[in-house]
């Protein structure tokens, strides 16, 4: 009998908030991976409610018809096995539909292209607009991830100011007891930073610092989304990853660091990608690949 993972079957609406902190590579990979998950499995992402069918907007009309035919014929929800994004071998996962909203602060709109060399994602929601479905507790998103998060934004959320859309959505998540994951990008932390993070943790938020694991480097899981790594040369130095340069010792100058990271983009992107999958697993959006689990292959 084929094992089935039903943990991630419910439709999800996820909001990504991006502030002006360094570490925009985390936001870039998060957005790319969510698009990858939605795009590769679009034909399988639907919910049957009587005769009603919900399909991602980017599904082609042919795919929509194919899914509709499956529903009409009484087929069970489709499953996707071993997609390149890192599903576990031998386990079929029922892939849920994902709705993704993205909000950038004004500073993030400048820092993102500077650090990543990429254009801003399409369809950004203005951060100064409260006329948005995610700003109300009556229509709160399932998950809100702020990646990366500045200490200024974190402090305003802790104070409950709701002075922009990102802070308001965070406030909604806390009051409605919905998932709020904050990925702060700062070092070292001051006592004020730590107290603000304590306040948010006590209020129900999950603080997940940009501290990626290294024990899964070289594992196959999650690397399928790494195609096109070379298009983003130099951004690895902004990932908050401290790397030993081998024979030459620890890279200790900016020029040398950039040269080193440009030569080892795959490793840096794999580390960041695996961190993103860890965040998505915490949010119950996507299962963590086996290869990213500590001592997964030990008896």
């Amino acid at each position: 009998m084929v094992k089935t993972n039903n943990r991630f079957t419910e439709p999800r609406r996820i909001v990504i908030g991006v502030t002006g902190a360094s570490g925009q590579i985390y936001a870039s990979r998060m957005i790319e991976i969510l698009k990858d998950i939605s795009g590769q499995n679009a034909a399988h992402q639907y919910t049957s409610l009587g005769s009603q069918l919900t399909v991602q907007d980017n599904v082609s009309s042919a795919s929509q018809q194919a899914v509709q035919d499956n529903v009409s014929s009484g087929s069970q929800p489709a499953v996707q096995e071993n997609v390149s994004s890192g599903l576990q071998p031998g386990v079929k996962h029922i892939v849920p539909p994902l709705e993704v909203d993205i909000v950038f602060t004004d500073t993030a709109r400048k820092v993102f292209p500077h650090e990543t060399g990429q254009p801003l994602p399409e369809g950004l929601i203005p951060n100064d607009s409260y006329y948005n479905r995610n700003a109300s507790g009556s229509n709160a998103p399932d998950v809100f991830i702020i990646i990366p998060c500045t200490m200024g934004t974190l402090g305003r959320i802790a104070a409950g100011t709701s002075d922009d859309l990102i802070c308001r959505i965070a406030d909604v998540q806390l009051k409605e007891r919905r998932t709020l994951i904050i990925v702060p990008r700062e070092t070292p932390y001051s006592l004020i930073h730590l107290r603000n993070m304590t306040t948010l943790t006590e209020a129900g938020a999950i603080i997940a610092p940009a501290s990626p694991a290294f024990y899964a480097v070289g594992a196959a899981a999650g690397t399928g989304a790494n195609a096109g790594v070379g298009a983003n040369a130099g951004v690895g130095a902004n990932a908050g990853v401290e790397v030993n340069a081998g024979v030459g010792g620890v890279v200790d100058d900016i020029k040398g660091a950039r040269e080193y990271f440009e030569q080892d983009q795959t490793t840096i992107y794999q580390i960041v990608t695996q961190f993103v999958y860890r965040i998505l697993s915490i949010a119950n959006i996507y299962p963590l690949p086996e290869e990213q689990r500590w001592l997964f292959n030990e008896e």
Side-chain angles (χ1 to χ4, degrees):
M1 178 179 293
V2 176
K3 294 186 295 182
T4 303
N5 186 344
N6 293 316
R7 181 184 177 191
F8 301 88
T9 59
E10 294 298 320
R12 293 285 194 272
R13 184 165 89 247
I14 179 170
V15 180
I16 302 300
V18 183
T19 74
S22 183
Q24 297 294 313
I25 186 175
Y26 290 102
S28 173
R29 294 302 292 136
M30 175 67 74
I31 294 168
E32 288 172 356
I33 287 171
L34 287 173
K35 288 182 177 179
D36 184 62
I37 293 172
S38 299
Q40 288 190 26
N41 307 298
H44 302 292
Q45 297 180 2
Y46 63 89
T47 302
S48 178
L49 301 174
S51 60
Q52 187 177 6
L53 180 70
T54 301
V55 186
Q56 289 290 348
D57 291 340
N58 62 346
V59 181
S60 67
S61 58
S63 297
Q64 292 185 33
Q65 185 59 51
V67 174
Q68 181 66 64
D69 292 343
N70 287 336
V71 174
S72 301
S73 62
S75 300
Q76 295 298 315
V79 293
Q80 182 76 12
E81 185 175 14
N82 303 333
V83 298
S84 63
S85 298
L87 292 177
Q88 299 173 32
V91 179
K92 289 192 174 183
H93 299 266
I94 302 175
V95 183
L98 289 179
E99 297 180 21
V100 182
D101 290 347
I102 306 172
V103 187
F104 272 50
T105 65
D106 290 343
T107 305
R109 289 172 181 260
K110 298 177 182 178
V111 178
F112 184 90
H114 174 75
E115 287 195 355
T116 67
Q118 302 172 354
L120 292 174
E122 296 180 357
L124 296 182
I125 298 171
N127 191 38
D128 60 355
S129 174
Y130 292 88
Y131 194 71
N132 179 269
R133 62 180 179 175
N134 301 296
S136 173
S138 65
N139 198 11
D142 295 283
V143 177
F144 184 29
I145 301 174
I146 306 177
I147 180 172
C149 184
T150 62
M151 291 300 102
T153 297
L154 189 147
R156 289 190 290 275
I157 296 171
T161 61
S162 291
D163 58 351
D164 59 22
L165 183 58
I166 285 179
C167 290
R168 171 56 185 169
I169 298 174
D171 196 33
V172 166
Q173 296 301 95
L174 293 175
K175 77 186 186 70
E176 298 295 328
R177 304 298 190 266
R178 297 292 184 95
T179 300
L180 170 62
I181 300 176
I182 296 175
V183 181
R185 177 71 176 88
E186 184 66 88
T187 190
Y189 294 131
S190 72
L191 181 58
I192 294 172
H193 299 156
L194 294 170
R195 284 176 172 166
N196 285 336
M197 286 188 272
T198 298
T199 296
L200 289 172
T201 299
E202 291 174 341
I206 297 172
I207 306 297
S211 303
F214 290 83
Y215 49 77
V217 173
T223 58
N226 283 333
V229 162
N232 299 286
V235 298
N238 297 313
V241 179
E242 188 174 317
V243 181
N244 189 294
V247 177
V250 177
V251 177
D252 58 3
D253 66 281
I254 295 177
K255 181 179 179 182
R258 288 192 178 277
E259 290 176 353
Y260 175 76
F261 283 122
E262 287 174 9
Q263 295 170 4
D264 202 16
Q265 289 289 298
T266 301
T267 299
I268 297 301
Y269 259 62
Q270 185 180 10
I271 291 169
V272 173
T273 296
Q274 290 177 345
F275 176 79
V276 168
Y277 277 116
R278 181 72 176 97
I279 297 300
L280 292 176
S281 71
I282 293 172
N284 289 337
I285 292 295
Y286 204 76
L288 187 69
E290 275 190 353
E291 289 80 359
Q292 287 186 233
R293 300 175 187 174
W294 177 242
L295 299 178
F296 80 98
N297 59 349
E298 298 292 327
E299 294 296 333

